[in-house]
């Protein structure tokens, strides 16, 4: 009986060792949160559409907004503060 347990332990040990040295697959470079490059986003301040990659990104009140310029971002942020 002890021999049997020892054998199970040995198999388990080998299994673990093999798993440790097995390659875990190639990690593909993916950046989650990166949408399509030419995605258009709306500026909530002046209501114009701008490409996401050129937009000014700002987090206001825990939400992410995109603006055409820093001026619009500041204007919007001030407006959000005034609402509270
Ligand atoms: Zn704007």
């Amino acid at each position: 009986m002890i021999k049997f347990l020892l054998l199970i332990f040995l198999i388990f040990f080998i299994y673990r060792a093999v798993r440790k040295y097995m390659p875990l697959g190639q990690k593909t470079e993916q950046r989650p949160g990166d949408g399509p490059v030419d995605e258009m986003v709306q500026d909530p301040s002046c209501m114009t559409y701008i490409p996401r990659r050129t937009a000014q990104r700002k987090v206001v009140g825990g939400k992410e907004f995109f603006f055409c310029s820093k001026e619009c971002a500041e204007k919007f942020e001030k407006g959000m503060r005034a609402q509270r």
Side-chain angles (χ1 to χ4, degrees):
M1 191 62 188
I2 291 162
K3 265 191 177 179
F4 178 69
L5 284 168
L6 211 74
L7 193 73
I8 287 173
F9 180 77
L10 200 75
I11 289 164
F12 179 71
F13 187 78
I14 290 163
Y15 171 75
R16 272 192 63 168
V18 167
R19 270 198 64 156
K20 197 177 172 183
Y21 293 107
M22 282 280 260
L24 291 164
Q26 291 279 312
K27 276 182 185 172
T28 50
E29 266 197 51
Q30 269 187 333
R31 277 185 285 171
D34 261 21
V37 179
D38 291 327
E39 192 190 338
M40 297 298 276
V41 284
Q42 194 179 24
D43 183 330
S45 191
C46 64
M47 299 298 159
T48 48
Y49 284 90
I50 52 244
R52 192 185 168 131
R53 69 196 162 97
T54 58
Q56 290 277 326
R57 188 182 152 275
K58 206 169 180 81
V59 177
V60 184
K63 272 184 87 178
E64 193 180 41
F65 295 99
F66 295 93
F67 303 92
C68 65
S69 62
K70 268 188 181 173
E71 286 73 30
C72 275
E74 278 162 23
K75 212 172 105 185
F76 183 75
E77 202 178 13
K78 275 178 191 169
M80 285 286 279
R81 279 192 201 144
Q83 275 177 31
R84 284 182 198 174

